[in-house]
mmCIF file of all heavy atoms in Angstrom:
data_model
loop_
_atom_site.group_PDB
_atom_site.id
_atom_site.type_symbol
_atom_site.label_atom_id
_atom_site.label_comp_id
_atom_site.label_asym_id
_atom_site.label_seq_id
_atom_site.Cartn_x
_atom_site.Cartn_y
_atom_site.Cartn_z
ATOM 1 N N GLN A 334 1.283 20.588 6.636
ATOM 2 C CA GLN A 334 1.047 20.318 8.060
ATOM 3 C C GLN A 334 0.576 18.896 8.309
ATOM 4 O O GLN A 334 0.969 18.271 9.305
ATOM 5 C CB GLN A 334 0.018 21.329 8.595
ATOM 6 C CG GLN A 334 0.513 22.767 8.534
ATOM 7 C CD GLN A 334 -0.589 23.764 8.793
ATOM 8 O OE1 GLN A 334 -0.801 24.160 9.943
ATOM 9 N NE2 GLN A 334 -1.282 24.168 7.736
ATOM 10 N N ILE A 335 -0.255 18.382 7.410
ATOM 11 C CA ILE A 335 -0.693 16.996 7.587
ATOM 12 C C ILE A 335 0.463 16.037 7.342
ATOM 13 O O ILE A 335 0.568 14.988 7.994
ATOM 14 C CB ILE A 335 -1.897 16.671 6.684
ATOM 15 C CG1 ILE A 335 -2.524 15.335 7.101
ATOM 16 C CG2 ILE A 335 -1.503 16.625 5.206
ATOM 17 C CD1 ILE A 335 -3.814 15.010 6.390
ATOM 18 N N ARG A 336 1.372 16.401 6.447
ATOM 19 C CA ARG A 336 2.555 15.543 6.220
ATOM 20 C C ARG A 336 3.451 15.537 7.454
ATOM 21 O O ARG A 336 4.000 14.496 7.840
ATOM 22 C CB ARG A 336 3.323 16.022 4.990
ATOM 23 C CG ARG A 336 2.558 15.862 3.681
ATOM 24 C CD ARG A 336 3.493 15.906 2.482
ATOM 25 N NE ARG A 336 4.207 17.166 2.357
ATOM 26 C CZ ARG A 336 3.758 18.231 1.712
ATOM 27 N NH1 ARG A 336 2.558 18.184 1.114
ATOM 28 N NH2 ARG A 336 4.469 19.344 1.635
ATOM 29 N N ASN A 337 3.601 16.690 8.088
ATOM 30 C CA ASN A 337 4.411 16.750 9.303
ATOM 31 C C ASN A 337 3.755 15.967 10.440
ATOM 32 O O ASN A 337 4.432 15.319 11.234
ATOM 33 C CB ASN A 337 4.605 18.210 9.732
ATOM 34 C CG ASN A 337 5.473 18.977 8.744
ATOM 35 O OD1 ASN A 337 6.261 18.380 7.996
ATOM 36 N ND2 ASN A 337 5.320 20.295 8.722
ATOM 37 N N THR A 338 2.424 16.014 10.497
ATOM 38 C CA THR A 338 1.707 15.306 11.557
ATOM 39 C C THR A 338 1.945 13.805 11.484
ATOM 40 O O THR A 338 2.070 13.130 12.513
ATOM 41 C CB THR A 338 0.201 15.607 11.461
ATOM 42 O OG1 THR A 338 -0.005 17.006 11.610
ATOM 43 C CG2 THR A 338 -0.576 14.847 12.526
ATOM 44 N N PHE A 339 2.047 13.274 10.254
ATOM 45 C CA PHE A 339 2.255 11.835 10.075
ATOM 46 C C PHE A 339 3.730 11.492 9.822
ATOM 47 O O PHE A 339 4.041 10.461 9.247
ATOM 48 C CB PHE A 339 1.365 11.325 8.944
ATOM 49 C CG PHE A 339 -0.093 11.275 9.307
ATOM 50 C CD1 PHE A 339 -0.934 12.344 9.017
ATOM 51 C CD2 PHE A 339 -0.629 10.194 9.978
ATOM 52 C CE1 PHE A 339 -2.271 12.321 9.367
ATOM 53 C CE2 PHE A 339 -1.952 10.155 10.339
ATOM 54 C CZ PHE A 339 -2.791 11.227 10.036
ATOM 55 N N GLN A 340 4.602 12.371 10.243
ATOM 56 C CA GLN A 340 6.049 12.131 10.294
ATOM 57 C C GLN A 340 6.652 11.806 8.926
ATOM 58 O O GLN A 340 7.490 10.916 8.796
ATOM 59 C CB GLN A 340 6.359 10.995 11.280
ATOM 60 C CG GLN A 340 5.804 11.218 12.677
ATOM 61 C CD GLN A 340 6.070 10.059 13.614
ATOM 62 O OE1 GLN A 340 7.177 9.512 13.637
ATOM 63 N NE2 GLN A 340 5.063 9.665 14.399
ATOM 64 N N MET A 341 6.193 12.502 7.897
ATOM 65 C CA MET A 341 6.753 12.311 6.562
ATOM 66 C C MET A 341 7.939 13.255 6.370
ATOM 67 O O MET A 341 7.858 14.446 6.696
ATOM 68 C CB MET A 341 5.690 12.586 5.494
ATOM 69 C CG MET A 341 4.531 11.609 5.508
ATOM 70 S SD MET A 341 3.261 12.035 4.289
ATOM 71 C CE MET A 341 4.169 11.797 2.755
ATOM 72 N N SER A 342 9.026 12.720 5.844
ATOM 73 C CA SER A 342 10.188 13.559 5.556
ATOM 74 C C SER A 342 9.915 14.389 4.309
ATOM 75 O O SER A 342 8.927 14.180 3.589
ATOM 76 C CB SER A 342 11.425 12.681 5.343
ATOM 77 O OG SER A 342 11.263 11.873 4.187
ATOM 78 N N SER A 343 10.780 15.322 4.025
ATOM 79 C CA SER A 343 10.582 16.232 2.890
ATOM 80 C C SER A 343 10.631 15.496 1.561
ATOM 81 O O SER A 343 10.058 15.955 0.570
ATOM 82 C CB SER A 343 11.636 17.344 2.919
ATOM 83 O OG SER A 343 12.953 16.780 2.890
ATOM 84 N N GLU A 344 11.306 14.349 1.500
ATOM 85 C CA GLU A 344 11.407 13.585 0.255
ATOM 86 C C GLU A 344 10.212 12.658 0.043
ATOM 87 O O GLU A 344 10.007 12.149 -1.063
ATOM 88 C CB GLU A 344 12.688 12.738 0.238
ATOM 89 C CG GLU A 344 13.987 13.543 0.275
ATOM 90 C CD GLU A 344 14.360 13.957 1.691
ATOM 91 O OE1 GLU A 344 13.747 13.411 2.640
ATOM 92 O OE2 GLU A 344 15.228 14.830 1.839
ATOM 93 N N MET A 345 9.437 12.419 1.089
ATOM 94 C CA MET A 345 8.332 11.464 0.999
ATOM 95 C C MET A 345 7.076 12.100 0.403
ATOM 96 O O MET A 345 6.777 13.265 0.671
ATOM 97 C CB MET A 345 7.982 10.903 2.387
ATOM 98 C CG MET A 345 9.001 9.952 2.960
ATOM 99 S SD MET A 345 8.453 9.311 4.574
ATOM 100 C CE MET A 345 9.807 8.199 4.972
ATOM 101 N N THR A 346 6.373 11.311 -0.381
ATOM 102 C CA THR A 346 5.051 11.691 -0.884
ATOM 103 C C THR A 346 4.129 10.479 -0.777
ATOM 104 O O THR A 346 4.587 9.330 -0.802
ATOM 105 C CB THR A 346 5.102 12.165 -2.349
ATOM 106 O OG1 THR A 346 5.608 11.103 -3.164
ATOM 107 C CG2 THR A 346 5.971 13.398 -2.498
ATOM 108 N N GLY A 347 2.840 10.732 -0.685
ATOM 109 C CA GLY A 347 1.901 9.617 -0.600
ATOM 110 C C GLY A 347 0.501 10.093 -0.273
ATOM 111 O O GLY A 347 0.211 11.293 -0.264
ATOM 112 N N VAL A 348 -0.368 9.123 0.009
ATOM 113 C CA VAL A 348 -1.758 9.419 0.354
ATOM 114 C C VAL A 348 -2.109 8.715 1.657
ATOM 115 O O VAL A 348 -1.550 7.670 1.996
ATOM 116 C CB VAL A 348 -2.721 8.972 -0.772
ATOM 117 C CG1 VAL A 348 -2.572 9.867 -1.994
ATOM 118 C CG2 VAL A 348 -2.511 7.511 -1.142
ATOM 119 N N LEU A 349 -3.080 9.282 2.360
ATOM 120 C CA LEU A 349 -3.449 8.801 3.687
ATOM 121 C C LEU A 349 -4.642 7.851 3.591
ATOM 122 O O LEU A 349 -5.648 8.153 2.950
ATOM 123 C CB LEU A 349 -3.803 9.986 4.584
ATOM 124 C CG LEU A 349 -4.171 9.681 6.037
ATOM 125 C CD1 LEU A 349 -2.963 9.146 6.792
ATOM 126 C CD2 LEU A 349 -4.721 10.944 6.710
ATOM 127 N N VAL A 350 -4.531 6.699 4.245
ATOM 128 C CA VAL A 350 -5.630 5.734 4.275
ATOM 129 C C VAL A 350 -6.685 6.229 5.261
ATOM 130 O O VAL A 350 -6.411 6.395 6.453
ATOM 131 C CB VAL A 350 -5.132 4.335 4.690
ATOM 132 C CG1 VAL A 350 -6.313 3.377 4.829
ATOM 133 C CG2 VAL A 350 -4.136 3.808 3.664
ATOM 134 N N SER A 351 -7.907 6.454 4.774
ATOM 135 C CA SER A 351 -8.977 6.963 5.623
ATOM 136 C C SER A 351 -10.069 5.932 5.881
ATOM 137 O O SER A 351 -10.793 6.033 6.870
ATOM 138 C CB SER A 351 -9.594 8.216 4.996
ATOM 139 O OG SER A 351 -10.064 7.943 3.685
ATOM 140 N N LYS A 352 -10.209 4.946 4.979
ATOM 141 C CA LYS A 352 -11.278 3.959 5.129
ATOM 142 C C LYS A 352 -10.856 2.661 4.460
ATOM 143 O O LYS A 352 -10.208 2.684 3.405
ATOM 144 C CB LYS A 352 -12.568 4.482 4.497
ATOM 145 C CG LYS A 352 -13.841 3.844 5.001
ATOM 146 C CD LYS A 352 -15.058 4.594 4.466
ATOM 147 C CE LYS A 352 -16.349 4.079 5.033
ATOM 148 N NZ LYS A 352 -17.534 4.826 4.506
ATOM 149 N N LEU A 353 -11.221 1.520 5.047
ATOM 150 C CA LEU A 353 -10.852 0.214 4.515
ATOM 151 C C LEU A 353 -12.104 -0.641 4.335
ATOM 152 O O LEU A 353 -12.980 -0.674 5.211
ATOM 153 C CB LEU A 353 -9.884 -0.497 5.462
ATOM 154 C CG LEU A 353 -8.480 0.107 5.575
ATOM 155 C CD1 LEU A 353 -7.792 -0.394 6.830
ATOM 156 C CD2 LEU A 353 -7.646 -0.241 4.358
ATOM 157 N N ASN A 354 -12.181 -1.333 3.209
ATOM 158 C CA ASN A 354 -13.293 -2.246 2.949
ATOM 159 C C ASN A 354 -13.064 -3.534 3.738
ATOM 160 O O ASN A 354 -12.043 -4.203 3.562
ATOM 161 C CB ASN A 354 -13.386 -2.539 1.454
ATOM 162 C CG ASN A 354 -14.642 -3.295 1.074
ATOM 163 O OD1 ASN A 354 -15.085 -4.196 1.779
ATOM 164 N ND2 ASN A 354 -15.227 -2.946 -0.055
ATOM 165 N N PRO A 355 -13.993 -3.913 4.608
ATOM 166 C CA PRO A 355 -13.802 -5.124 5.437
ATOM 167 C C PRO A 355 -13.617 -6.401 4.632
ATOM 168 O O PRO A 355 -13.092 -7.387 5.168
ATOM 169 C CB PRO A 355 -15.089 -5.181 6.274
ATOM 170 C CG PRO A 355 -15.595 -3.785 6.299
ATOM 171 C CD PRO A 355 -15.246 -3.207 4.959
ATOM 172 N N LEU A 356 -14.052 -6.429 3.366
ATOM 173 C CA LEU A 356 -13.929 -7.642 2.555
ATOM 174 C C LEU A 356 -12.617 -7.697 1.774
ATOM 175 O O LEU A 356 -12.354 -8.677 1.094
ATOM 176 C CB LEU A 356 -15.104 -7.747 1.574
ATOM 177 C CG LEU A 356 -16.506 -7.750 2.189
ATOM 178 C CD1 LEU A 356 -17.544 -8.017 1.114
ATOM 179 C CD2 LEU A 356 -16.615 -8.788 3.296
ATOM 180 N N SER A 357 -11.800 -6.677 1.857
ATOM 181 C CA SER A 357 -10.546 -6.640 1.101
ATOM 182 C C SER A 357 -9.406 -7.236 1.904
ATOM 183 O O SER A 357 -9.443 -7.293 3.142
ATOM 184 C CB SER A 357 -10.207 -5.196 0.712
ATOM 185 O OG SER A 357 -9.912 -4.427 1.869
ATOM 186 N N ASP A 358 -8.366 -7.658 1.184
ATOM 187 C CA ASP A 358 -7.167 -8.163 1.850
ATOM 188 C C ASP A 358 -6.426 -7.028 2.536
ATOM 189 O O ASP A 358 -5.727 -7.241 3.537
ATOM 190 C CB ASP A 358 -6.266 -8.854 0.827
ATOM 191 C CG ASP A 358 -5.131 -9.623 1.476
ATOM 192 O OD1 ASP A 358 -5.383 -10.353 2.454
ATOM 193 O OD2 ASP A 358 -3.979 -9.495 1.003
#
Side-chain angles (χ1 to χ4, degrees):
Q334 297 168 91
I335 192 173
R336 294 199 298 272
N337 292 337
T338 300
F339 288 93
Q340 305 177 43
M341 295 177 65
S342 65
S343 58
E344 297 82 13
M345 289 182 178
T346 60
V348 289
L349 182 67
V350 175
S351 57
K352 202 171 185 180
L353 291 162
N354 189 320
L356 303 186
S357 67
D358 191 46

